[in-house]
Amino acid sequence: MGSAEIRSPVNQVLGTSSTPNMAKRKKLESYFMESDDRRGALGGGYTVGSTPVNIHRKPLSEADLSRTGGWVAAFFIFGNEMAERMAYFGLSVNMVAFMFYVMHRPFSSSANAVNNFLGISQVSSVLGGFLADAYLGRYWTIAIFTTIYLMGLTGITLCATMKSFVPNQDCDQIAVLLGTCEPAKPWQMLYLNTILYITGFGAAGIRPCVSSFGADQFDERSPDYKAHLDKFFNVFYLSVTVGAIIAFTAVVYIQMQHGWGSAFGSIALGMGLSNALFFIGTSTYRHRLPGGSPLTRVAQVVVAAFRKRNASFSNSEIIGLYELPGKKSAIKGSAKIAHSDDFRCLDKAALKLAEDGPDPSPWRLCTVTQVEEVKILIKLLPIPASTIMLSLILTEFLTLSVQQAYTLNTHLGRLKVPVTCMPVFPALSIFLVLSLYYYIFVPISRRITGHPHGASQLQRVGIGMGISILSVAWAGIFERFRRNYAISHGYQFSFLTPMPDLSAYWLLIQYCLIGIAEVFSIVGLLEFLYEEAPDAIRSIGSAYAAVAGGLGCFAATILNNIVNSATEDKERGRVSWLSQNINSGRFDYLYWVLTGLSIINFCGFLYAARRYKYRSALQVER
């Protein structure tokens, strides 16, 4: 029997032989049993496709459609993401230094604490995506969580402003570096960590919803929909980059000139203004109905498939695969999804047997669309999982390259660029690439690939991952040269003294390469996840990218701990590769390890990408 066929009861009705050797075979996707008696998977009604609705969840009229959505609505949403990214990167750059210089925590534990905060803020995005898709909708999820984010930023500002929240600051620079200053009291660190995680929790509801909510503003019926969507995700990431540039320049400048309270206060002010802008645009937004709990639907498919695990696709008791008639879907806010041959064991959840009766429980019989939703969630996983390595590299660059920059000459002519501003260069390279993307890359690659957008989404992700390998390989080459130069010129133990004849701008090569890699990989991934995820779980689909980013942060912390424990031997006087004295450590070895891991990861991505089949929308005529 073929891997994707069943014996069709239709042939039996027509009097055709029903024996396995003589029966005419049919593809599973071509034989559906449809019924108007089917109730919704969660007890709800039917919806046709992903019809846009207003804030009161009523379908929009043609007149309303002409007054809402489009680029005007999208630009209100861009402001929210720009402020969130400014806060995210502003905290990622400044919080390590704040914990070290103000709270008097060791540098390694400060970096790990911030990495964990960044990781949690991204991994928890799946919670925000779940709430948006299941119950709240994207607008209300953003509205609630962006307010929580602002509360967290306000708490951080108070911590940096009020003396009672920080330890005694009567301590000179040498004592800070030696770690002999009075450390923060346990309750002070508890307060700081609490408000940090409140801030991260706020980000969890913004990040998975903003890109999806912005893309929802464009009309799927428009012939230019694909082109608009492609440009939207590029402009969206451009707003992310602008937020990062502001964080790495203006916020750092404010901190240096006016102190920590003003720096964190400026971030909170930016978030407050973006919140106001988001709410001002409320009347212009289009909304999508939340589809009910996707976890419940996944559980129903698993339970129904397990109950029918012993049913055979060639059983004469099979009536067919179950689906609703016409364009209606049992999942609120979702269009039908075409049947696929993947994970055939899950198809048993949609097998309609004679014993199921006229009105079976959704825990015993699911629609094809519901089964395919679960399949897609599984099929999508390897692609964002492949980008964890890219996030790991970005996280390492944010901390390790700053330590490298402390040993180098950061003068640009007569202008001395602060070391904490160095991460602005990847952001600037992203801004430049995105600005020139449609004028240079698309026309050139279109001639090579024939693709209307220059490259498919997965091709762009692959290009970015390939460039990230070059970035981390160059980082290893330069770090080896920098370390040998420091030792040969007598700087081995002067790891905080800049070497005047070695410019920090050699770091721009790895910065720019990783920036270009991020443009291709992350923008391509966001567009891929939005288009491939079913209508009712697009926020969860977008959360996949954020979760991958968070896992990269955690992976960086885990890798650093492994490297420290494996390479340090105090009895033999051997220092860790990640020694605070960078000239005695071996950052170059770590970069080469990352290069090898990136190559292995890239091969895994190529395998997953070649096997992946883009889903096509199910077109059903009434």
Side-chain angles (χ1 to χ4, degrees):
M1 179 178 173
S3 62
E5 297 179 344
I6 61 171
R7 187 170 56 210
S8 172
V10 173
N11 295 328
Q12 299 173 24
V13 173
L14 295 176
T16 311
S17 172
S18 61
T19 59
N21 294 331
M22 300 180 64
K24 184 178 179 180
R25 305 290 186 173
K26 275 197 170 188
K27 289 287 185 180
L28 279 173
E29 64 267 23
S30 68
Y31 189 79
F32 295 132
M33 184 275 184
E34 299 186 338
S35 170
D36 279 317
D37 297 329
R38 174 65 173 168
R39 56 180 170 155
L42 299 175
Y46 305 130
T47 57
V48 178
S50 50
T51 306
V53 298
N54 61 24
I55 196 170
H56 304 294
R57 301 189 178 182
K58 303 296 183 183
L60 293 172
S61 65
E62 287 298 326
D64 292 331
L65 286 172
S66 64
R67 292 194 299 265
T68 58
W71 286 103
V72 174
F75 277 115
F76 282 110
I77 298 168
F78 287 147
N80 193 263
E81 179 63 13
M82 187 185 303
E84 192 275 323
R85 292 283 94 181
M86 181 183 77
Y88 177 82
F89 287 111
L91 291 176
S92 68
V93 170
N94 290 291
M95 189 51 66
V96 174
F98 179 76
M99 284 188 174
F100 181 73
Y101 288 107
V102 178
M103 306 303 285
H104 303 153
R105 304 293 298 170
F107 182 83
S108 58
S109 64
S110 299
N112 283 342
V114 173
N115 282 348
N116 290 337
F117 153 71
L118 298 177
I120 289 174
S121 72
Q122 296 191 77
V123 169
S124 57
S125 294
V126 73
L127 172 63
F130 169 79
L131 291 175
D133 286 338
Y135 305 114
L136 299 176
R138 289 166 196 139
Y139 172 84
W140 288 112
T141 304
I142 296 171
I144 293 169
F145 280 84
T146 197
T147 304
I148 295 173
Y149 204 128
L150 180 58
M151 291 170 55
L153 292 175
T154 303
I156 293 173
T157 303
L158 290 176
C159 180
T161 304
M162 300 176 67
K163 293 183 179 180
S164 58
F165 288 112
V166 298
N168 188 350
Q169 299 299 300
D170 294 332
C171 193
D172 58 33
Q173 187 80 356
I174 300 298
V176 171
L177 294 175
L178 294 176
T180 58
C181 295
E182 177 188 335
K185 297 179 177 65
W187 74 265
Q188 291 172 332
M189 287 307 302
L190 176 63
Y191 172 80
L192 179 58
N193 286 324
T194 299
I195 57 177
L196 263 179
Y197 291 123
I198 288 174
T199 306
F201 182 68
I206 300 173
R207 194 168 293 123
C209 298
V210 173
S211 61
S212 298
F213 188 50
D216 286 345
Q217 306 309 310
F218 297 96
D219 191 350
E220 295 180 358
R221 301 170 302 174
S222 170
D224 298 326
Y225 174 68
K226 292 284 188 181
H228 283 312
L229 207 60
D230 185 57
K231 289 182 180 179
F232 165 77
F233 281 104
N234 280 278
V235 177
F236 171 80
Y237 212 71
L238 196 63
S239 70
V240 171
T241 305
V242 171
I245 291 173
I246 294 173
F248 293 138
T249 53
V251 175
V252 170
Y253 175 80
I254 292 171
Q255 186 275 316
M256 295 178 64
Q257 296 297 318
H258 304 287
W260 296 103
S262 297
F264 294 135
S266 66
I267 295 174
L269 178 62
M271 179 57 70
L273 292 174
S274 77
N275 287 3
L277 186 66
F278 176 77
F279 290 119
I280 289 171
T282 296
S283 61
T284 69
Y285 300 145
R286 296 175 181 176
H287 306 261
R288 301 294 173 93
L289 290 172
S293 172
L295 294 181
T296 301
R297 296 198 299 274
V298 170
Q300 287 172 344
V301 170
V302 173
V303 170
F306 180 78
R307 282 181 168 181
K308 297 180 180 178
R309 63 191 182 279
N310 296 323
S312 171
F313 288 118
S314 59
N315 193 319
S316 61
E317 294 295 317
I318 291 176
I319 297 175
L321 289 179
Y322 203 88
E323 185 55 276
L324 295 182
K327 296 180 180 179
K328 295 179 180 179
S329 170
I331 302 172
K332 188 184 296 183
S334 178
K336 281 187 174 180
I337 306 174
H339 177 267
S340 68
D341 294 333
D342 302 301
F343 304 108
R344 197 172 180 222
C345 60
L346 294 177
D347 283 328
K348 293 187 176 182
L351 280 180
K352 175 69 172 176
L353 304 178
E355 63 189 53
D356 288 331
D359 189 24
S361 163
W363 292 92
R364 183 170 182 83
L365 181 64
C366 305
T367 64
V368 170
T369 294
Q370 191 176 342
V371 173
E372 290 301 320
E373 185 182 62
V374 177
K375 289 183 182 181
I376 291 171
L377 280 174
I378 298 172
K379 288 190 291 186
L380 288 177
L381 279 174
I383 304 303
S386 299
T387 64
I388 293 175
M389 194 68 216
L390 175 62
S391 176
L392 192 159
I393 294 171
L394 285 166
T395 303
E396 295 286 22
F397 275 4
L398 279 175
T399 54
L400 302 186
S401 62
V402 169
Q403 287 183 260
Q404 289 175 290
Y406 272 114
T407 71
L408 302 170
N409 181 2
T410 61
H411 281 83
L412 188 62
R414 294 186 177 181
L415 175 67
K416 187 180 189 302
V417 178
V419 169
T420 49
C421 284
M422 292 299 289
V424 75
F425 290 104
L428 288 174
S429 67
I430 293 172
F431 184 87
L432 181 63
V433 172
L434 284 173
S435 301
L436 301 176
Y437 183 82
Y438 287 102
Y439 301 101
I440 296 178
F441 172 76
V442 171
I444 294 175
S445 58
R446 186 186 292 131
R447 294 177 183 176
I448 299 173
T449 65
H451 194 279
H453 303 303
S456 70
Q457 296 142 358
L458 289 180
Q459 286 172 340
R460 279 181 278 163
V461 174
I463 290 171
M465 293 175 66
I467 295 173
S468 72
I469 295 173
L470 297 178
S471 173
V472 73
W474 166 258
I477 293 172
F478 176 70
E479 171 55 21
R480 185 179 182 86
F481 173 79
R482 188 211 60 78
R483 181 178 182 275
N484 290 339
Y485 183 94
I487 293 174
S488 63
H489 288 76
Y491 288 95
Q492 181 170 358
F493 301 104
S494 303
F495 61 95
L496 292 179
T497 303
M499 296 178 283
D501 296 328
L502 190 57
S503 174
Y505 297 98
W506 284 103
L507 294 173
L508 294 190
I509 297 176
Q510 68 198 54
Y511 279 154
C512 292
L513 286 174
I514 200 65
I516 295 170
E518 193 172 358
V519 168
F520 283 98
S521 282
I522 305 303
V523 176
L525 179 64
L526 287 173
E527 186 178 342
F528 168 78
L529 291 173
Y530 181 82
E531 288 201 37
E532 291 299 299
D535 300 319
I537 53 171
R538 277 177 167 166
S539 296
I540 291 180
S542 297
Y544 273 9
V547 169
L551 291 176
C553 294
F554 289 131
T557 299
I558 294 171
L559 179 62
N560 290 347
N561 290 337
I562 292 173
V563 167
N564 276 325
S565 61
T567 60
E568 186 178 34
D569 190 340
K570 293 182 179 180
E571 294 182 359
R572 299 182 181 181
R574 189 175 65 191
V575 300
S576 166
W577 287 1
L578 298 177
S579 170
Q580 189 157 320
N581 181 350
I582 185 176
N583 296 330
S584 298
R586 298 306 304 246
F587 281 20
D588 53 332
Y589 287 174
L590 177 63
Y591 285 139
W592 286 118
V593 169
L594 291 176
T595 302
L597 292 175
S598 296
I599 292 173
I600 295 171
N601 179 71
F602 184 60
C603 293
F605 166 78
L606 291 179
Y607 175 78
R610 287 180 65 88
R611 289 176 57 86
Y612 187 85
K613 298 177 182 178
Y614 288 92
R615 78 180 182 95
S616 58
L618 178 62
Q619 302 295 329
V620 181
E621 296 295 334
R622 285 188 183 275

